[in-house]
Amino acid sequence: MPLSLFIDGYNLLGALGKRTSKQLTGGAGAREALISRLSLYSQSKGHPVTVVFDAWQEPTGLEHHEHRTGVKVVFTKRGERADQVLQRLAREYGRGCAVVSSDLEIIQTAKSHGAFVMKSEEFQVKLESLGDGKRHQNMPIPSTQPWIKTEDEGPQGRPDKKGNPRKLPKTVRVRKRQLRGF
């Protein structure tokens, strides 16, 4: 069963190089563009996507849910922030969800309840690679292999350390495997 994906909307917009809706002349336009990109992501990957936006200053005062092109959009109620909603969802779903946010408080809460956490910048790369795979084929891939050295580097690692020096640490390998699912 695919994991439910909960996204901090304005946090992801910030990672995509946008500003919050107060700073944009067309804040609704930026949100709609993000929702359409998330819809494409949801359709291609099969993960149910929920994006949460702050609306705590809105006069309606109630939490508002909408379904748009396969994406559930949540606007928070008066006095509540998206961070609180994301933390509540992470507590409720636990291991059955993934949370996208760069907010440390959300990350800590989600991890403590077993949720998989992606920073907004990581998820931004996933969104961009989904939309235009050709653009990323010619880009150089940064080396994640510690055994590849440049000319000016000296020997790496401790001489008393045992194990395969070419193998990435287990935490890095597990993280890479989890990211492949998205």
Side-chain angles (χ1 to χ4, degrees), residues 5 8 12-13 29 49 54-55 72 78 81 84-85 121-122 141 145 152 158 165 175:
L5 187 61
D8 188 345
L12 184 58
L13 279 175
V49 175
D54 284 321
K72 183 177 180 182
R78 184 177 196 91
R81 298 205 179 261
Q84 295 166 322
V85 174
E121 293 79 16
E122 288 176 316
I141 299 171
Q145 297 140 346
D152 57 333
R158 297 185 342 229
R175 176 90 178 143

Side-chain angles (χ1 to χ4, degrees), residues 90-145:
R91 280 187 216 103
E92 184 180 327
Y93 284 83
R95 292 191 183 273
C97 73
V99 177
V100 176
S101 179
S102 294
D103 188 315
L104 292 178
E105 189 176 346
I106 296 171
I107 290 171
Q108 290 173 345
T109 302
K111 281 184 178 179
S112 70
H113 291 291
F116 177 68
V117 177
M118 260 190 290
K119 290 201 172 193
S120 296
E121 293 79 16
E122 288 176 316
F123 190 70
Q124 169 199 358
V125 172
K126 295 285 185 184
L127 275 180
E128 288 176 353
S129 66
L130 179 71
D132 52 350
K134 293 179 184 176
R135 190 178 102 200
H136 295 283
Q137 288 175 351
N138 298 330
M139 289 179 62
I141 299 171
S143 176
T144 57
Q145 297 140 346

Side-chain angles (χ1 to χ4, degrees), residues 7-45:
I7 300 172
D8 188 345
Y10 288 126
N11 197 290
L12 184 58
L13 279 175
L16 291 169
K18 309 269 190 281
R19 305 228 190 281
T20 62
S21 66
K22 296 176 208 169
Q23 297 169 334
L24 286 170
T25 56
R31 281 195 310 264
E32 293 304 319
L34 176 65
I35 291 168
S36 66
R37 288 178 80 179
L38 292 174
S39 173
L40 292 172
Y41 178 83
S42 176
Q43 291 169 1
S44 69
K45 298 293 185 173

